[in-house]
Coordinates of all heavy atoms in Angstrom, one line a residue:
M1 N -2.9 17.8 -20.1 CA -4.3 17.0 -19.9 C -5.3 17.6 -21.0 O -6.3 16.9 -21.1 CB -4.8 17.3 -18.6 CG -4.0 16.7 -17.5 SD -4.6 15.2 -16.6 CE -6.2 15.3 -16.5
Q2 N -5.0 18.7 -21.6 CA -6.0 19.2 -22.5 C -6.2 18.3 -23.7 O -7.4 18.3 -24.2 CB -5.4 20.6 -23.1 CG -5.6 21.7 -22.2 CD -4.9 22.9 -22.8 OE1 -3.7 22.9 -23.0 NE2 -5.7 23.9 -23.1
D3 N -5.4 17.4 -24.0 CA -5.5 16.5 -25.1 C -6.5 15.3 -24.7 O -7.1 14.7 -25.7 CB -4.2 15.8 -25.5 CG -3.3 16.9 -26.2 OD1 -3.7 18.0 -26.6 OD2 -2.1 16.6 -26.3
V4 N -6.7 15.1 -23.5 CA -7.6 13.9 -23.1 C -8.7 14.3 -22.2 O -9.5 13.4 -21.9 CB -6.7 12.9 -22.4 CG1 -5.7 12.3 -23.4 CG2 -6.0 13.4 -21.2
S5 N -8.9 15.5 -21.8 CA -10.0 15.9 -21.0 C -10.4 17.4 -21.2 O -9.7 18.2 -21.7 CB -9.6 15.7 -19.5 OG -8.8 16.7 -19.0
T6 N -11.7 17.6 -20.8 CA -12.2 18.9 -20.9 C -12.9 19.2 -19.5 O -13.6 18.4 -19.0 CB -13.3 19.0 -22.0 OG1 -12.7 18.6 -23.2 CG2 -13.9 20.4 -22.1
T7 N -12.7 20.4 -19.0 CA -13.2 20.8 -17.8 C -13.3 22.3 -17.6 O -12.5 23.1 -18.3 CB -12.5 20.2 -16.6 OG1 -13.2 20.5 -15.3 CG2 -11.0 20.8 -16.5
D8 N -14.1 22.8 -16.7 CA -14.1 24.2 -16.4 C -13.6 24.5 -15.0 O -13.8 25.6 -14.5 CB -15.6 24.8 -16.5 CG -16.6 24.2 -15.6 OD1 -16.2 23.2 -15.0 OD2 -17.7 24.7 -15.7
I9 N -12.9 23.5 -14.5 CA -12.3 23.7 -13.1 C -11.1 24.4 -13.3 O -10.2 24.2 -14.1 CB -12.1 22.3 -12.5 CG1 -13.3 21.5 -12.4 CG2 -11.4 22.4 -11.1 CD1 -13.2 20.0 -11.9
A10 N -10.8 25.4 -12.4 CA -9.7 26.2 -12.4 C -8.4 25.4 -12.0 O -8.5 24.4 -11.3 CB -9.8 27.4 -11.5
I11 N -7.3 25.7 -12.6 CA -6.1 25.1 -12.4 C -5.7 24.9 -10.9 O -5.2 23.9 -10.5 CB -4.9 25.6 -13.3 CG1 -3.6 24.7 -13.2 CG2 -4.5 26.9 -12.8 CD1 -3.9 23.3 -13.9
G12 N -6.0 26.0 -10.1 CA -5.7 25.9 -8.7 C -6.5 24.8 -8.0 O -6.0 24.1 -7.2
K13 N -7.7 24.7 -8.5 CA -8.6 23.6 -7.8 C -8.1 22.2 -8.2 O -8.0 21.3 -7.4 CB -10.0 23.7 -8.1 CG -10.7 24.9 -7.4 CD -12.3 25.0 -7.7 CE -12.8 26.1 -7.0 NZ -14.3 26.1 -7.1
I14 N -7.7 22.1 -9.5 CA -7.2 20.8 -9.9 C -5.9 20.4 -9.1 O -5.7 19.3 -8.7 CB -6.9 20.8 -11.4 CG1 -8.2 20.9 -12.2 CG2 -6.0 19.5 -11.9 CD1 -8.0 21.1 -13.7
S15 N -5.0 21.5 -8.9 CA -3.9 21.3 -8.1 C -4.1 20.9 -6.7 O -3.6 19.9 -6.1 CB -3.0 22.6 -8.1 OG -1.8 22.4 -7.3
N16 N -5.2 21.4 -6.1 CA -5.5 21.1 -4.7 C -6.1 19.7 -4.7 O -5.6 18.9 -3.8 CB -6.6 22.1 -4.3 CG -6.1 23.4 -3.9 OD1 -4.9 23.7 -3.8 ND2 -7.0 24.3 -3.8
I17 N -6.8 19.3 -5.6 CA -7.4 17.9 -5.7 C -6.2 17.0 -5.8 O -6.2 15.9 -5.1 CB -8.4 17.7 -6.8 CG1 -9.7 18.5 -6.5 CG2 -8.8 16.3 -7.0 CD1 -10.6 18.7 -7.6
S18 N -5.3 17.3 -6.7 CA -4.1 16.3 -7.0 C -3.4 16.2 -5.7 O -2.9 15.1 -5.4 CB -3.3 16.9 -8.1 OG -2.1 16.3 -8.2
N19 N -3.2 17.3 -5.0 CA -2.4 17.2 -3.7 C -3.1 16.3 -2.6 O -2.4 15.6 -1.9 CB -2.1 18.6 -3.1 CG -1.1 19.4 -3.9 OD1 -0.3 18.8 -4.6 ND2 -1.2 20.7 -3.9
I20 N -4.4 16.4 -2.6 CA -5.1 15.5 -1.6 C -4.8 14.1 -1.9 O -4.6 13.2 -1.1 CB -6.7 15.8 -1.8 CG1 -6.9 17.2 -1.1 CG2 -7.4 14.7 -1.1 CD1 -8.3 17.7 -1.4
F21 N -4.9 13.7 -3.3 CA -4.7 12.3 -3.6 C -3.3 11.9 -3.4 O -2.9 10.8 -3.0 CB -5.2 12.0 -5.1 CG -6.6 12.0 -5.2 CD1 -7.3 12.9 -5.8 CD2 -7.4 10.9 -4.7 CE1 -8.7 12.9 -6.0 CE2 -8.8 10.8 -4.7 CZ -9.4 11.9 -5.4
A22 N -2.3 12.8 -3.7 CA -0.9 12.5 -3.6 C -0.5 12.3 -2.2 O 0.6 11.6 -1.9 CB -0.1 13.6 -4.3
S23 N -1.3 13.0 -1.3 CA -0.8 13.0 0.1 C -1.3 11.7 0.8 O -0.8 11.4 2.0 CB -1.3 14.2 0.8 OG -2.7 14.2 1.0
G24 N -2.1 10.9 0.3 CA -2.6 9.7 0.8 C -1.6 8.6 0.8 O -0.5 8.6 0.2
T25 N -1.9 7.7 1.8 CA -1.0 6.5 1.9 C -1.4 5.3 1.0 O -2.7 5.0 1.1 CB -1.0 6.0 3.4 OG1 -0.5 7.1 4.2 CG2 0.0 4.8 3.6
D26 N -0.6 4.7 0.2 CA -1.0 3.5 -0.7 C -1.3 2.4 0.3 O -0.4 1.9 1.0 CB 0.1 3.3 -1.6 CG -0.3 2.1 -2.5 OD1 -1.4 1.5 -2.4 OD2 0.6 1.7 -3.3
K27 N -2.5 1.9 0.3 CA -2.9 0.8 1.1 C -3.0 -0.5 0.3 O -3.5 -1.5 0.8 CB -4.2 1.1 1.8 CG -4.1 2.3 2.7 CD -5.3 2.4 3.5 CE -5.3 3.6 4.4 NZ -5.1 3.5 5.8
G28 N -2.5 -0.5 -0.9 CA -2.5 -1.7 -1.7 C -3.9 -2.0 -2.2 O -4.8 -1.2 -2.4
I29 N -4.2 -3.3 -2.6 CA -5.3 -3.7 -3.1 C -6.1 -4.7 -2.1 O -5.5 -5.5 -1.4 CB -5.1 -4.6 -4.4 CG1 -4.4 -3.8 -5.4 CG2 -6.4 -5.3 -4.9 CD1 -3.9 -4.5 -6.7
F30 N -7.4 -4.3 -2.0 CA -8.2 -5.0 -1.0 C -9.1 -6.0 -1.7 O -9.6 -5.6 -2.8 CB -9.0 -4.1 -0.1 CG -8.2 -3.3 0.9 CD1 -7.4 -2.2 0.5 CD2 -8.2 -3.7 2.2 CE1 -6.7 -1.5 1.5 CE2 -7.5 -3.0 3.1 CZ -6.7 -2.0 2.8
E31 N -9.4 -7.2 -1.1 CA -10.3 -8.1 -1.7 C -11.4 -8.4 -0.6 O -11.0 -8.9 0.5 CB -9.6 -9.4 -2.1 CG -10.5 -10.4 -2.8 CD -9.8 -11.6 -3.2 OE1 -8.6 -11.4 -3.7 OE2 -10.3 -12.7 -3.2
L32 N -12.6 -8.2 -0.9 CA -13.7 -8.5 0.2 C -14.0 -10.0 0.1 O -14.3 -10.4 -1.0 CB -14.9 -7.5 -0.1 CG -14.7 -6.1 0.1 CD1 -15.9 -5.4 -0.4 CD2 -14.6 -5.8 1.5
A33 N -14.2 -10.5 1.3 CA -14.7 -11.9 1.4 C -16.2 -11.9 1.1 O -16.9 -10.9 1.5 CB -14.4 -12.5 2.8
G34 N -16.7 -13.0 0.5 CA -18.1 -13.1 0.3 C -18.4 -14.4 -0.5 O -17.5 -15.2 -0.7
K35 N -19.6 -14.4 -1.1 CA -19.9 -15.5 -1.8 C -20.6 -15.1 -3.2 O -21.3 -14.1 -3.2 CB -21.1 -16.4 -1.1 CG -20.6 -17.0 0.2 CD -21.5 -17.9 0.9 CE -20.9 -18.5 2.1 NZ -21.8 -19.5 2.7
S36 N -20.2 -15.8 -4.2 CA -20.8 -15.5 -5.6 C -21.7 -16.6 -5.9 O -21.5 -17.9 -5.6 CB -19.6 -15.6 -6.6 OG -18.8 -14.5 -6.3
K37 N -22.7 -16.3 -6.7 CA -23.8 -17.3 -7.1 C -24.4 -16.7 -8.3 O -24.3 -15.5 -8.6 CB -24.7 -17.7 -6.1 CG -25.8 -16.5 -5.7 CD -26.8 -17.0 -4.7 CE -27.9 -16.1 -4.6 NZ -29.1 -16.6 -4.0
I38 N -25.0 -17.6 -9.1 CA -25.9 -17.2 -10.2 C -27.3 -16.9 -9.7 O -27.8 -17.7 -9.0 CB -25.9 -18.3 -11.3 CG1 -24.5 -18.7 -11.7 CG2 -26.9 -17.9 -12.4 CD1 -24.1 -18.4 -13.1
G39 N -27.8 -15.7 -10.1 CA -29.1 -15.5 -9.6 C -29.9 -14.4 -10.5 O -29.3 -14.1 -11.6
Q40 N -31.0 -14.0 -10.0 CA -31.8 -13.0 -10.9 C -32.3 -11.8 -10.0 O -33.4 -11.4 -10.1 CB -33.0 -13.7 -11.5 CG -32.6 -14.8 -12.5 CD -33.9 -15.5 -13.2 OE1 -35.0 -15.1 -12.9 NE2 -33.5 -16.3 -14.2
A41 N -31.3 -11.3 -9.3 CA -31.6 -10.2 -8.4 C -32.0 -8.9 -9.1 O -32.6 -8.0 -8.6 CB -30.3 -9.9 -7.5
L42 N -31.6 -8.8 -10.4 CA -31.9 -7.6 -11.2 C -33.4 -7.6 -11.7 O -33.9 -6.5 -12.1 CB -31.0 -7.5 -12.4 CG -29.5 -7.2 -12.1 CD1 -28.8 -7.2 -13.5 CD2 -29.3 -6.0 -11.3
G43 N -34.1 -8.7 -11.6 CA -35.5 -8.7 -11.9 C -35.7 -8.7 -13.4 O -36.8 -8.4 -13.8
D44 N -34.7 -9.0 -14.2 CA -34.9 -9.0 -15.8 C -35.0 -10.4 -16.3 O -35.0 -10.6 -17.4 CB -33.7 -8.3 -16.4 CG -32.4 -9.0 -16.1 OD1 -32.3 -10.0 -15.5 OD2 -31.4 -8.4 -16.6
E45 N -35.2 -11.4 -15.4 CA -35.5 -12.7 -15.8 C -34.3 -13.4 -16.5 O -34.5 -14.3 -17.3 CB -36.7 -12.9 -16.6 CG -38.0 -12.6 -15.9 CD -39.3 -12.7 -16.6 OE1 -39.2 -13.4 -17.7 OE2 -40.3 -12.1 -16.3
M46 N -33.1 -12.8 -16.3 CA -31.9 -13.3 -16.9 C -31.0 -13.7 -15.7 O -30.9 -13.1 -14.7 CB -31.2 -12.3 -17.8 CG -31.9 -12.0 -19.0 SD -31.2 -10.7 -20.0 CE -29.7 -11.5 -20.6
D47 N -30.1 -14.8 -16.0 CA -29.2 -15.2 -15.0 C -28.0 -14.2 -15.1 O -27.5 -13.8 -16.1 CB -28.7 -16.6 -15.2 CG -29.7 -17.6 -14.9 OD1 -30.7 -17.3 -14.1 OD2 -29.6 -18.8 -15.4
H48 N -27.5 -13.8 -13.9 CA -26.3 -12.9 -13.7 C -25.5 -13.5 -12.6 O -25.9 -14.0 -11.6 CB -26.7 -11.5 -13.3 CG -27.6 -10.8 -14.4 ND1 -27.0 -10.3 -15.6 CD2 -28.9 -10.6 -14.4 CE1 -28.0 -9.8 -16.3 NE2 -29.1 -9.9 -15.6
M49 N -24.2 -13.2 -12.6 CA -23.2 -13.5 -11.5 C -23.6 -12.5 -10.5 O -23.6 -11.3 -10.6 CB -21.9 -13.5 -11.8 CG -20.9 -13.9 -10.8 SD -21.2 -15.6 -10.1 CE -20.8 -16.6 -11.4
E50 N -23.9 -13.0 -9.2 CA -24.1 -12.1 -8.0 C -23.0 -12.3 -7.0 O -22.6 -13.3 -6.8 CB -25.5 -12.3 -7.5 CG -26.7 -12.1 -8.4 CD -28.0 -12.6 -8.0 OE1 -28.0 -13.2 -6.8 OE2 -29.0 -12.4 -8.6
F51 N -22.7 -11.2 -6.3 CA -21.7 -11.3 -5.2 C -22.3 -10.7 -3.9 O -22.9 -9.6 -4.0 CB -20.4 -10.5 -5.6 CG -19.4 -10.6 -4.4 CD1 -18.7 -11.7 -4.2 CD2 -19.1 -9.5 -3.6 CE1 -17.7 -11.8 -3.2 CE2 -18.3 -9.6 -2.6 CZ -17.6 -10.7 -2.4
Y52 N -22.2 -11.5 -2.8 CA -22.9 -11.1 -1.7 C -21.6 -11.0 -0.6 O -21.0 -12.0 -0.2 CB -23.9 -12.1 -1.1 CG -25.0 -12.1 -2.0 CD1 -25.1 -13.0 -3.1 CD2 -26.1 -11.3 -1.8 CE1 -26.2 -13.0 -4.0 CE2 -27.1 -11.2 -2.7 CZ -27.2 -12.1 -3.7 OH -28.3 -12.1 -4.6
V53 N -21.2 -9.8 -0.3 CA -20.1 -9.5 0.5 C -20.5 -9.9 2.0 O -21.5 -9.8 2.5 CB -19.8 -8.0 0.5 CG1 -20.8 -7.1 1.2 CG2 -18.4 -7.8 1.1
N54 N -19.4 -10.4 2.7 CA -19.4 -10.8 4.0 C -19.3 -9.5 4.8 O -18.5 -8.6 4.7 CB -18.1 -11.7 4.3 CG -18.1 -11.9 5.8 OD1 -17.7 -11.1 6.6 ND2 -18.4 -13.2 6.3
K55 N -20.4 -9.2 5.7 CA -20.5 -8.0 6.3 C -19.4 -7.6 7.2 O -18.9 -6.6 7.3 CB -21.9 -8.0 7.2 CG -22.1 -6.6 7.9 CD -23.3 -6.6 8.8 CE -23.4 -5.2 9.3 NZ -24.6 -5.1 10.4
K56 N -18.9 -8.6 7.9 CA -17.7 -8.3 8.8 C -16.5 -7.9 8.0 O -15.7 -7.0 8.3 CB -17.3 -9.6 9.7 CG -18.3 -9.8 10.8 CD -17.9 -11.0 11.7 CE -18.9 -11.2 12.8 NZ -18.5 -12.3 13.6
A57 N -16.3 -8.6 6.8 CA -15.2 -8.2 5.8 C -15.3 -6.8 5.4 O -14.4 -6.0 5.3 CB -15.1 -9.2 4.8
M58 N -16.6 -6.4 5.1 CA -16.8 -5.1 4.6 C -16.6 -4.0 5.7 O -15.9 -3.1 5.4 CB -18.3 -5.0 4.1 CG -18.6 -3.6 3.6 SD -20.3 -3.4 2.9 CE -21.3 -3.7 4.5
V59 N -17.1 -4.2 6.8 CA -16.8 -3.3 7.9 C -15.3 -3.1 8.2 O -14.8 -2.0 8.4 CB -17.6 -3.7 9.2 CG1 -17.2 -2.8 10.4 CG2 -19.1 -3.6 9.0
S60 N -14.7 -4.3 8.3 CA -13.2 -4.3 8.5 C -12.5 -3.5 7.4 O -11.7 -2.7 7.7 CB -12.7 -5.7 8.7 OG -11.3 -5.7 8.6
T61 N -12.8 -3.6 6.2 CA -12.1 -3.0 5.1 C -12.4 -1.5 5.1 O -11.6 -0.7 4.9 CB -12.6 -3.6 3.7 OG1 -12.2 -5.0 3.7 CG2 -11.9 -2.9 2.6
M62 N -13.7 -1.1 5.4 CA -14.1 0.2 5.4 C -13.4 1.0 6.5 O -13.0 2.0 6.5 CB -15.6 0.4 5.6 CG -16.4 -0.1 4.3 SD -16.0 0.7 2.8 CE -17.0 2.1 3.0
S63 N -13.2 0.2 7.6 CA -12.5 0.8 8.8 C -11.0 1.1 8.4 O -10.5 2.2 8.8 CB -12.6 -0.2 10.0 OG -13.8 0.0 10.7
E64 N -10.5 0.2 7.8 CA -9.0 0.3 7.4 C -8.8 1.4 6.4 O -7.9 2.2 6.5 CB -8.5 -1.0 6.9 CG -7.0 -1.0 6.8 CD -6.4 -2.4 6.7 OE1 -7.1 -3.4 6.9 OE2 -5.2 -2.5 6.2
L65 N -9.7 1.4 5.5 CA -9.5 2.4 4.3 C -10.0 3.8 4.7 O -9.1 4.8 4.4 CB -10.3 2.0 3.1 CG -9.8 0.9 2.3 CD1 -10.8 0.5 1.2 CD2 -8.5 1.3 1.7
F66 N -11.1 4.0 5.4 CA -11.7 5.3 5.6 C -11.8 5.6 7.1 O -12.4 6.7 7.4 CB -13.0 5.3 4.9 CG -12.9 5.0 3.5 CD1 -13.6 3.9 3.0 CD2 -12.2 5.8 2.6 CE1 -13.5 3.6 1.6 CE2 -12.1 5.5 1.2 CZ -12.7 4.4 0.8
G67 N -11.4 4.8 7.9 CA -11.6 5.0 9.4 C -13.1 5.0 9.9 O -13.5 5.6 10.9
I68 N -13.9 4.3 9.0 CA -15.4 4.2 9.3 C -15.5 3.1 10.4 O -15.0 2.1 10.2 CB -16.2 3.9 8.1 CG1 -16.1 4.9 7.1 CG2 -17.6 3.5 8.4 CD1 -16.7 4.8 5.7
V69 N -16.4 3.3 11.4 CA -16.6 2.4 12.4 C -18.1 2.1 12.5 O -18.9 2.9 12.4 CB -16.1 3.0 13.7 CG1 -16.3 2.1 15.0 CG2 -14.7 3.5 13.8
E70 N -18.4 0.8 12.5 CA -19.8 0.3 12.7 C -20.3 0.7 14.1 O -19.7 0.7 15.1 CB -19.8 -1.2 12.6 CG -21.2 -1.8 12.6 CD -21.3 -3.3 12.5 OE1 -20.2 -3.9 12.8 OE2 -22.3 -3.8 12.0
Q71 N -21.5 1.2 13.9 CA -22.3 1.8 15.1 C -23.4 0.8 15.5 O -24.1 0.4 14.5 CB -22.8 3.2 14.9 CG -21.9 4.1 14.5 CD -21.7 5.4 15.5 OE1 -22.7 5.6 16.2 NE2 -20.7 6.0 15.4
K72 N -23.6 0.4 16.7 CA -24.7 -0.5 17.1 C -26.0 0.3 17.3 O -25.8 1.4 17.9 CB -24.3 -1.2 18.4 CG -23.0 -2.0 18.3 CD -23.3 -3.3 17.4 CE -21.9 -4.0 17.3 NZ -21.9 -5.0 16.3
N73 N -27.1 -0.3 16.9 CA -28.3 0.4 17.2 C -28.6 0.3 18.6 O -28.4 -0.7 19.3 CB -29.4 -0.2 16.3 CG -29.3 0.0 14.9 OD1 -28.7 1.1 14.5 ND2 -30.0 -0.7 14.0
K74 N -29.4 1.4 19.2 CA -29.7 1.3 20.6 C -31.2 1.0 20.9 O -31.8 1.4 21.7 CB -29.5 2.7 21.2 CG -28.0 3.1 21.2 CD -27.8 4.5 21.8 CE -26.3 4.9 21.8 NZ -26.1 6.1 22.4
E75 N -31.7 0.1 20.0 CA -33.0 -0.3 20.0 C -33.2 -1.5 21.1 O -32.4 -2.3 21.4 CB -33.6 -0.9 18.7 CG -33.6 0.2 17.7 CD -34.1 -0.3 16.4 OE1 -34.4 -1.4 16.2 OE2 -34.0 0.5 15.4

């Protein structure tokens, strides 16, 4: 890796990080449902493609990938 990267991280730490990623389960490719439109949400007065994710799709994907669960407010 010396030819393509520079770091001050010790080789032991790099090995540990590598093992964390290698031990994960490949879950494939996820595609979030949502709507695309042309808009000016950036405020630069230029048209850009914008994507608005479907909240249920986002929560479902985050749950599946990371075990994150949506919490309801107690208001």
Side-chain angles (χ1 to χ4, degrees):
M1 298 248 330
Q2 284 177 294
D3 295 339
V4 293
S5 75
T6 304
T7 184
D8 61 354
I9 300 173
I11 190 67
K13 286 187 180 182
I14 291 174
S15 178
N16 289 343
I17 292 168
S18 174
N19 288 336
I20 289 169
F21 286 110
S23 66
T25 303
D26 182 3
K27 296 185 183 256
I29 297 173
F30 287 79
E31 183 177 325
L32 292 172
K35 294 184 180 185
S36 296
K37 71 174 193 166
I38 303 245
Q40 295 187 356
L42 294 178
D44 61 2
E45 298 182 16
M46 295 178 64
D47 289 339
H48 299 278
M49 184 58 72
E50 300 172 355
F51 179 75
Y52 295 90
V53 67
N54 175 285
K55 184 179 177 186
K56 287 183 181 181
M58 181 179 63
V59 170
S60 172
T61 300
M62 297 298 279
S63 277
E64 192 169 342
L65 284 173
F66 307 112
I68 295 172
V69 180
E70 183 178 25
Q71 304 238 337
K72 302 291 182 194
N73 291 337
K74 295 181 179 182
E75 295 178 7

